[in-house]
Coordinates of all heavy atoms in Angstrom, one line a residue:
I1 N 114.4 98.5 103.6 CA 113.9 98.1 102.3 C 114.9 98.6 101.2 O 115.5 99.6 101.3 CB 112.5 98.7 102.0 CG1 112.0 98.3 100.7 CG2 112.6 100.2 102.0 CD1 110.9 97.4 100.7
V2 N 115.2 97.7 100.2 CA 116.0 98.0 99.1 C 115.2 98.0 97.9 O 114.5 97.0 97.6 CB 117.2 97.0 99.0 CG1 118.0 97.3 97.8 CG2 118.0 97.0 100.3
S3 N 115.3 99.1 97.1 CA 114.4 99.1 95.9 C 115.2 98.6 94.7 O 116.4 98.8 94.5 CB 114.1 100.6 95.6 OG 113.3 100.7 94.4
N4 N 114.4 97.8 93.9 CA 114.9 97.3 92.6 C 113.8 97.6 91.6 O 112.8 96.9 91.7 CB 115.2 95.8 92.8 CG 115.7 95.2 91.5 OD1 115.4 95.7 90.4 ND2 116.5 94.2 91.6
V5 N 114.0 98.5 90.7 CA 113.0 98.9 89.8 C 112.3 97.8 89.0 O 111.1 97.8 88.8 CB 113.6 100.0 88.8 CG1 112.5 100.4 87.8 CG2 114.0 101.2 89.5
S6 N 113.1 96.8 88.6 CA 112.5 95.7 87.8 C 111.6 94.7 88.6 O 110.7 94.1 88.1 CB 113.6 95.0 87.1 OG 114.4 94.3 88.0
S7 N 111.9 94.6 89.9 CA 111.2 93.5 90.6 C 110.6 94.0 91.9 O 110.0 93.2 92.7 CB 112.1 92.3 90.9 OG 113.2 92.8 91.8
G8 N 110.6 95.3 92.2 CA 110.0 95.7 93.5 C 111.1 96.0 94.5 O 112.1 96.6 94.2
G9 N 110.9 95.6 95.7 CA 111.8 95.9 96.8 C 112.1 94.6 97.6 O 111.4 93.6 97.5
S10 N 113.1 94.7 98.4 CA 113.5 93.6 99.3 C 113.4 94.1 100.7 O 114.0 95.2 101.0 CB 114.9 93.1 99.0 OG 114.9 92.4 97.8
L11 N 112.8 93.4 101.6 CA 112.7 93.7 103.0 C 113.6 92.8 103.7 O 113.4 91.5 103.5 CB 111.2 93.6 103.5 CG 110.9 93.9 104.9 CD1 111.2 95.4 105.2 CD2 109.5 93.6 105.2
F12 N 114.5 93.2 104.6 CA 115.4 92.4 105.3 C 114.9 92.3 106.8 O 114.8 93.3 107.4 CB 116.8 92.9 105.3 CG 117.4 92.8 103.9 CD1 117.2 93.8 102.9 CD2 118.1 91.6 103.5 CE1 117.7 93.7 101.7 CE2 118.6 91.5 102.2 CZ 118.4 92.5 101.3
V13 N 114.5 91.1 107.2 CA 114.0 90.9 108.6 C 115.1 90.2 109.4 O 115.6 89.1 109.0 CB 112.7 90.0 108.5 CG1 112.2 89.8 109.9 CG2 111.7 90.7 107.7
R14 N 115.4 90.9 110.5 CA 116.4 90.3 111.4 C 115.7 89.8 112.7 O 114.9 90.5 113.3 CB 117.5 91.3 111.8 CG 118.6 90.8 112.7 CD 119.6 91.8 113.0 NE 119.1 93.1 113.3 CZ 119.4 93.7 114.4 NH1 120.2 93.3 115.3 NH2 118.8 94.9 114.7
N15 N 116.1 88.6 113.1 CA 115.5 88.0 114.3 C 116.5 88.2 115.5 O 117.5 87.5 115.5 CB 115.2 86.5 114.1 CG 114.6 85.9 115.3 OD1 114.4 86.5 116.4 ND2 114.2 84.6 115.2
S16 N 116.2 89.0 116.4 CA 117.1 89.3 117.6 C 116.6 88.6 118.8 O 117.1 88.8 119.9 CB 117.2 90.8 117.8 OG 115.9 91.4 118.1
C17 N 115.5 87.7 118.7 CA 115.1 87.0 119.9 C 115.7 85.6 120.0 O 116.5 85.2 119.1 CB 113.5 86.9 119.9 SG 112.8 85.8 118.7
G18 N 115.4 84.9 121.0 CA 116.0 83.6 121.2 C 115.4 82.4 120.5 O 115.9 81.3 120.7
S19 N 114.3 82.6 119.8 CA 113.7 81.5 119.1 C 113.3 81.8 117.7 O 113.2 83.0 117.4 CB 112.4 81.0 119.9 OG 111.5 82.1 120.0
S20 N 113.1 80.8 116.9 CA 112.7 81.1 115.5 C 111.4 81.7 115.4 O 110.5 81.5 116.2 CB 112.7 79.8 114.7 OG 114.0 79.2 114.6
I21 N 111.2 82.6 114.4 CA 109.9 83.2 114.1 C 109.5 82.9 112.7 O 110.3 82.7 111.8 CB 109.9 84.7 114.3 CG1 110.9 85.4 113.4 CG2 110.1 85.1 115.7 CD1 110.8 86.9 113.3
A22 N 108.2 82.7 112.5 CA 107.6 82.4 111.1 C 106.8 83.7 110.7 O 106.0 84.2 111.5 CB 106.7 81.2 111.2
I23 N 107.1 84.2 109.5 CA 106.5 85.4 109.0 C 105.1 85.0 108.4 O 105.1 84.2 107.5 CB 107.3 86.1 108.0 CG1 108.7 86.4 108.5 CG2 106.7 87.4 107.5 CD1 108.8 87.3 109.7
A24 N 104.0 85.6 108.9 CA 102.7 85.3 108.4 C 102.3 86.3 107.3 O 101.8 85.9 106.2 CB 101.7 85.4 109.5
S25 N 102.7 87.6 107.5 CA 102.3 88.6 106.5 C 103.1 89.8 106.7 O 103.7 90.1 107.7 CB 100.8 88.9 106.5 OG 100.4 89.3 107.8
V26 N 103.2 90.6 105.6 CA 103.8 91.9 105.6 C 102.8 92.9 104.9 O 102.3 92.6 103.9 CB 105.1 91.9 104.8 CG1 105.7 93.3 104.8 CG2 106.1 90.9 105.4
Y27 N 102.5 94.0 105.6 CA 101.6 95.0 105.1 C 102.4 96.3 104.8 O 103.3 96.7 105.6 CB 100.6 95.4 106.2 CG 99.7 94.2 106.5 CD1 100.0 93.4 107.6 CD2 98.6 93.8 105.7 CE1 99.2 92.3 107.9 CE2 97.8 92.7 106.0 CZ 98.2 92.0 107.1 OH 97.4 90.9 107.4
V28 N 102.1 96.9 103.7 CA 102.8 98.1 103.3 C 101.8 99.2 103.0 O 100.8 99.0 102.3 CB 103.7 97.9 102.0 CG1 104.4 99.2 101.6 CG2 104.6 96.7 102.1
T29 N 102.1 100.4 103.7 CA 101.2 101.6 103.5 C 102.1 102.7 103.1 O 103.1 103.0 103.7 CB 100.5 101.9 104.8 OG1 99.7 100.8 105.2 CG2 99.6 103.1 104.7
N30 N 101.6 103.5 102.1 CA 102.3 104.7 101.7 C 101.8 105.8 102.7 O 100.7 106.3 102.6 CB 102.0 105.1 100.3 CG 102.7 106.3 99.8 OD1 103.0 107.3 100.6 ND2 103.0 106.4 98.5
E31 N 102.7 106.2 103.6 CA 102.3 107.2 104.7 C 102.2 108.6 104.0 O 101.3 109.4 104.5 CB 103.4 107.2 105.8 CG 103.0 108.1 106.9 CD 104.0 108.1 108.0 OE1 105.2 108.2 107.7 OE2 103.6 108.0 109.2
T32 N 103.0 108.8 103.0 CA 102.9 110.2 102.4 C 101.5 110.4 101.8 O 101.0 111.5 102.0 CB 104.0 110.2 101.3 OG1 105.3 110.0 101.9 CG2 104.0 111.6 100.7
S33 N 101.0 109.5 101.1 CA 99.7 109.7 100.4 C 98.5 109.0 101.2 O 97.4 109.1 100.8 CB 99.7 109.0 99.0 OG 99.8 107.6 99.1
N34 N 98.9 108.4 102.4 CA 97.9 107.8 103.3 C 97.1 106.7 102.5 O 95.9 106.7 102.6 CB 97.0 108.8 103.9 CG 96.2 108.2 105.1 OD1 96.7 107.3 105.8 ND2 95.0 108.7 105.3
T35 N 97.8 105.9 101.7 CA 97.1 104.8 101.0 C 97.7 103.5 101.3 O 99.0 103.3 101.5 CB 97.2 105.1 99.5 OG1 98.6 105.2 99.1 CG2 96.5 106.3 99.1
F36 N 96.9 102.4 101.3 CA 97.3 101.1 101.5 C 98.0 100.6 100.2 O 97.4 100.9 99.1 CB 96.1 100.2 101.8 CG 96.5 98.7 101.9 CD1 97.1 98.2 103.0 CD2 96.2 97.9 100.9 CE1 97.5 96.9 103.1 CE2 96.5 96.5 100.9 CZ 97.1 96.0 102.0
V37 N 99.2 100.0 100.2 CA 99.9 99.6 99.0 C 99.6 98.1 98.7 O 99.2 97.8 97.7 CB 101.4 99.9 99.1 CG1 102.1 99.4 97.9 CG2 101.6 101.4 99.3
L38 N 99.9 97.2 99.7 CA 99.7 95.8 99.5 C 100.0 95.0 100.8 O 100.5 95.5 101.7 CB 100.7 95.3 98.4 CG 102.2 95.3 98.7 CD1 102.6 93.8 98.9 CD2 102.9 95.9 97.6
A39 N 99.5 93.8 100.7 CA 99.7 92.8 101.7 C 100.4 91.6 101.1 O 100.0 91.2 100.0 CB 98.4 92.4 102.4
V40 N 101.4 91.1 101.7 CA 102.2 89.9 101.2 C 102.1 88.8 102.2 O 102.3 89.1 103.4 CB 103.6 90.3 100.9 CG1 104.4 89.1 100.4 CG2 103.7 91.4 99.9
Q41 N 101.8 87.6 101.8 CA 101.8 86.5 102.7 C 102.9 85.5 102.2 O 102.6 84.6 101.4 CB 100.4 85.9 102.8 CG 99.4 86.8 103.4 CD 98.0 86.2 103.4 OE1 97.7 85.4 102.5 NE2 97.2 86.7 104.3
P42 N 104.1 85.7 102.7 CA 105.2 84.8 102.2 C 105.0 83.4 102.6 O 104.4 83.1 103.7 CB 106.4 85.4 102.8 CG 106.0 86.2 104.0 CD 104.5 86.6 103.7
N43 N 105.4 82.4 101.8 CA 105.3 81.0 102.1 C 106.5 80.5 102.8 O 107.6 80.6 102.4 CB 105.1 80.2 100.8 CG 103.8 80.5 100.1 OD1 102.8 80.7 100.8 ND2 103.8 80.6 98.8
N44 N 106.3 79.9 104.0 CA 107.3 79.1 104.7 C 108.6 80.0 105.0 O 109.7 79.5 104.8 CB 107.7 77.9 104.0 CG 106.5 77.0 103.8 OD1 105.7 76.8 104.7 ND2 106.4 76.4 102.6
I45 N 108.4 81.2 105.4 CA 109.5 82.0 105.8 C 109.7 82.0 107.3 O 108.9 82.4 108.0 CB 109.4 83.5 105.3 CG1 109.2 83.6 103.8 CG2 110.5 84.4 105.8 CD1 110.4 83.2 103.0
V46 N 110.8 81.3 107.7 CA 111.2 81.2 109.1 C 112.5 81.8 109.3 O 113.5 81.6 108.5 CB 111.2 79.7 109.5 CG1 111.7 79.6 111.0 CG2 109.8 79.0 109.4
V47 N 112.6 82.7 110.3 CA 113.9 83.4 110.6 C 114.4 82.9 111.9 O 113.8 83.0 112.9 CB 113.6 84.9 110.7 CG1 115.0 85.7 110.8 CG2 112.8 85.4 109.5
S48 N 115.6 82.2 111.8 CA 116.3 81.7 112.9 C 116.8 82.7 113.8 O 117.1 83.9 113.4 CB 117.4 80.7 112.5 OG 116.9 79.7 111.7
P49 N 117.0 82.4 115.1 CA 117.6 83.4 116.0 C 118.9 83.9 115.5 O 119.8 83.2 115.1 CB 117.8 82.6 117.3 CG 116.8 81.5 117.3 CD 116.7 81.2 115.8
G50 N 119.1 85.3 115.5 CA 120.3 85.9 115.1 C 120.6 86.0 113.6 O 121.6 86.5 113.2
S51 N 119.6 85.5 112.8 CA 119.8 85.6 111.4 C 119.0 86.6 110.7 O 118.1 87.2 111.3 CB 119.5 84.2 110.8 OG 118.2 83.9 110.9
V52 N 119.2 86.8 109.4 CA 118.5 87.8 108.6 C 117.9 87.1 107.4 O 118.6 86.2 106.8 CB 119.5 88.9 108.1 CG1 118.7 89.9 107.2 CG2 120.1 89.7 109.3
Q53 N 116.7 87.4 107.1 CA 116.0 86.8 106.0 C 115.5 87.9 105.0 O 114.9 88.9 105.5 CB 114.8 86.0 106.4 CG 114.0 85.3 105.4 CD 114.8 84.1 104.7 OE1 115.4 83.3 105.4 NE2 114.7 84.1 103.4
E54 N 115.8 87.7 103.7 CA 115.3 88.7 102.7 C 113.9 88.3 102.3 O 113.7 87.1 101.9 CB 116.3 88.7 101.6 CG 115.8 89.7 100.5 CD 116.8 89.7 99.3 OE1 117.8 88.9 99.3 OE2 116.6 90.5 98.4
L55 N 113.0 89.2 102.2 CA 111.6 89.0 101.7 C 111.4 89.9 100.5 O 111.7 91.1 100.5 CB 110.6 89.4 102.7 CG 110.6 88.6 104.1 CD1 109.6 89.2 105.0 CD2 110.4 87.2 103.9
A56 N 111.0 89.3 99.4 CA 110.7 90.1 98.2 C 109.4 90.8 98.4 O 108.4 90.1 98.7 CB 110.7 89.2 97.0
I57 N 109.3 92.1 98.1 CA 108.1 92.8 98.2 C 107.8 93.3 96.8 O 108.5 94.2 96.3 CB 108.2 94.0 99.2 CG1 108.7 93.5 100.6 CG2 106.9 94.8 99.3 CD1 107.8 92.6 101.3
P58 N 106.7 92.8 96.2 CA 106.5 93.2 94.7 C 105.8 94.5 94.5 O 104.7 94.6 94.1 CB 105.6 92.0 94.3 CG 104.8 91.7 95.5 CD 105.8 91.9 96.7
F59 N 106.6 95.6 94.8 CA 106.1 96.9 94.4 C 107.3 97.8 94.2 O 108.4 97.5 94.7 CB 105.1 97.5 95.5 CG 105.9 98.2 96.7 CD1 105.8 99.5 96.8 CD2 106.6 97.4 97.6 CE1 106.5 100.2 97.8 CE2 107.2 98.1 98.7 CZ 107.2 99.5 98.8
T60 N 107.1 98.9 93.5 CA 108.2 99.8 93.3 C 107.9 101.1 94.1 O 106.9 101.8 93.8 CB 108.3 100.2 91.8 OG1 108.5 99.0 91.1 CG2 109.4 101.1 91.5
P61 N 108.7 101.4 95.1 CA 108.5 102.6 95.9 C 108.6 103.9 95.1 O 109.3 103.9 94.1 CB 109.6 102.5 96.9 CG 110.1 101.1 96.9 CD 109.9 100.6 95.5
V62 N 107.8 104.8 95.5 CA 107.9 106.2 94.8 C 109.0 106.9 95.5 O 109.0 107.0 96.8 CB 106.5 106.9 95.0 CG1 106.6 108.3 94.4 CG2 105.4 106.1 94.3
D63 N 109.9 107.5 94.7 CA 111.0 108.3 95.3 C 110.4 109.4 96.2 O 109.5 110.1 95.8 CB 111.9 108.9 94.2 CG 112.8 107.9 93.6 OD1 113.0 106.8 94.2 OD2 113.2 108.1 92.5
G64 N 111.0 109.5 97.4 CA 110.6 110.6 98.3 C 109.4 110.2 99.2 O 109.1 110.9 100.2
A65 N 108.7 109.2 98.9 CA 107.5 108.8 99.7 C 108.0 108.0 101.0 O 109.1 107.4 101.0 CB 106.6 107.9 98.9
T66 N 107.2 108.1 102.0 CA 107.5 107.4 103.3 C 106.5 106.2 103.4 O 105.3 106.4 103.1 CB 107.4 108.4 104.5 OG1 108.3 109.4 104.3 CG2 107.7 107.7 105.8
Y67 N 107.1 105.1 103.7 CA 106.2 103.9 103.8 C 106.3 103.3 105.2 O 107.3 103.4 106.0 CB 106.8 102.8 102.9 CG 106.6 103.2 101.4 CD1 107.5 103.9 100.8 CD2 105.4 102.8 100.8 CE1 107.3 104.3 99.4 CE2 105.2 103.2 99.5 CZ 106.1 104.0 98.8 OH 105.9 104.3 97.5
I68 N 105.1 102.7 105.6 CA 105.0 102.0 106.9 C 105.0 100.5 106.6 O 104.1 100.1 105.8 CB 103.7 102.4 107.6 CG1 103.7 103.9 107.9 CG2 103.6 101.6 108.9 CD1 102.3 104.4 108.4
F69 N 105.9 99.8 107.2 CA 105.9 98.3 107.0 C 105.5 97.7 108.3 O 106.1 98.0 109.3 CB 107.3 97.9 106.6 CG 107.8 98.5 105.3 CD1 108.4 99.7 105.2 CD2 107.6 97.8 104.1 CE1 108.9 100.2 104.0 CE2 108.0 98.3 102.9 CZ 108.6 99.5 102.9
T70 N 104.6 96.7 108.2 CA 104.2 96.0 109.4 C 104.4 94.5 109.1 O 103.8 94.0 108.2 CB 102.7 96.2 109.7 OG1 102.5 97.6 110.0 CG2 102.3 95.5 111.0
V71 N 105.3 93.9 109.9 CA 105.6 92.5 109.7 C 104.8 91.8 110.8 O 105.0 92.1 112.0 CB 107.1 92.2 109.8 CG1 107.4 90.7 109.8 CG2 107.9 93.0 108.7
V72 N 104.1 90.8 110.5 CA 103.3 90.0 111.5 C 103.7 88.6 111.5 O 103.9 87.9 110.4 CB 101.8 90.1 111.1 CG1 100.9 89.3 112.1 CG2 101.3 91.5 111.0
T73 N 104.0 88.1 112.7 CA 104.5 86.7 112.8 C 103.3 85.8 112.9 O 102.1 86.2 113.2 CB 105.4 86.5 114.0 OG1 104.6 86.7 115.2 CG2 106.6 87.4 114.0
Q74 N 103.5 84.5 112.7 CA 102.4 83.5 112.8 C 101.8 83.5 114.3 O 100.7 83.1 114.5 CB 102.8 82.1 112.4 CG 102.9 82.1 110.9 CD 103.2 80.7 110.4 OE1 103.6 79.8 111.1 NE2 103.1 80.5 109.1
S75 N 102.6 83.9 115.2 CA 102.1 83.9 116.6 C 101.4 85.2 116.9 O 100.9 85.4 118.0 CB 103.3 83.7 117.6 OG 104.2 84.8 117.5
G76 N 101.3 86.1 115.9 CA 100.5 87.3 116.1 C 101.3 88.6 116.5 O 100.7 89.6 116.7
N77 N 102.6 88.4 116.7 CA 103.4 89.6 117.1 C 103.5 90.5 115.9 O 103.6 90.1 114.7 CB 104.8 89.2 117.5 CG 104.7 88.5 118.8 OD1 104.0 88.8 119.8 ND2 105.5 87.4 119.0
R78 N 103.4 91.8 116.1 CA 103.5 92.8 115.0 C 104.8 93.7 115.3 O 105.0 94.2 116.4 CB 102.3 93.7 115.0 CG 101.0 93.0 114.6 CD 99.8 94.0 114.7 NE 98.7 93.4 114.1 CZ 98.3 93.5 112.9 NH1 99.0 94.3 112.0 NH2 97.3 92.9 112.4
F79 N 105.5 93.9 114.2 CA 106.7 94.8 114.2 C 106.5 95.8 113.1 O 106.3 95.5 111.9 CB 107.9 94.0 114.0 CG 108.1 92.9 115.0 CD1 107.6 91.6 114.8 CD2 108.7 93.2 116.3 CE1 107.8 90.6 115.7 CE2 108.8 92.2 117.2 CZ 108.4 90.9 117.0
T80 N 106.4 97.1 113.5 CA 106.2 98.2 112.5 C 107.3 99.1 112.5 O 107.9 99.5 113.5 CB 104.9 98.9 112.9 OG1 103.8 98.0 112.9 CG2 104.5 100.0 112.0
F81 N 107.7 99.5 111.3 CA 108.7 100.6 111.1 C 108.4 101.4 109.9 O 107.6 101.1 109.1 CB 110.1 99.9 111.0 CG 110.3 99.1 109.8 CD1 110.9 99.6 108.7 CD2 109.9 97.7 109.9 CE1 111.1 98.7 107.6 CE2 110.1 96.9 108.8 CZ 110.7 97.4 107.6
V82 N 109.0 102.6 109.9 CA 108.8 103.6 108.8 C 110.1 103.8 108.1 O 111.2 103.9 108.7 CB 108.3 104.9 109.4 CG1 108.1 106.0 108.4 CG2 107.0 104.7 110.2
E83 N 110.0 103.9 106.8 CA 111.2 104.0 105.9 C 110.9 104.9 104.8 O 109.8 104.8 104.1 CB 111.7 102.7 105.4 CG 113.0 102.7 104.7 CD 114.1 103.0 105.6 OE1 114.2 102.6 106.8 OE2 115.1 103.7 105.1
A84 N 111.8 105.8 104.4 CA 111.6 106.7 103.3 C 112.3 106.1 102.0 O 113.3 105.5 102.2 CB 112.2 108.1 103.5
A85 N 111.6 106.2 100.9 CA 112.1 105.7 99.7 C 113.2 106.6 99.1 O 113.1 107.8 99.3 CB 111.0 105.4 98.7

């Protein structure tokens, strides 16, 4: 995630599998305060094999907080990672 104070953050999703994936939703939780931040349902985001797609996430991370990001594909696969702001 890359923070941009004026517009929130950008999440970069890399597809390392052999077929295209469609992003259904992204969930963000502040692990530090144990609070749900937001859910984003991007429109028509398809990530081709071997490529990277930027997703705008409309929130401003709190410096020093740790966030859990869960990316869900339209086929139901979940990819979760943790990142500190």
Side-chain angles (χ1 to χ4, degrees):
I1 183 110
V2 176
S3 179
N4 179 332
V5 173
S6 63
S7 63
S10 293
L11 179 67
F12 293 87
V13 178
R14 180 174 50 124
N15 181 355
S16 59
C17 71
S19 59
S20 293
I21 59 169
I23 306 298
S25 55
V26 177
Y27 300 96
V28 182
T29 302
N30 183 328
E31 184 178 46
T32 304
S33 65
N34 195 31
T35 56
F36 176 76
V37 176
L38 69 109
V40 177
Q41 295 176 332
N43 292 323
N44 302 318
I45 300 293
V46 176
V47 187
S48 301
S51 69
V52 175
Q53 179 71 44
E54 180 179 3
L55 302 174
I57 306 296
F59 86 107
T60 302
V62 175
D63 285 340
T66 301
Y67 292 89
I68 301 170
F69 297 89
T70 302
V71 177
V72 182
T73 66
Q74 286 185 349
S75 62
N77 294 317
R78 292 177 172 267
F79 302 93
T80 300
F81 62 98
V82 177
E83 187 69 35

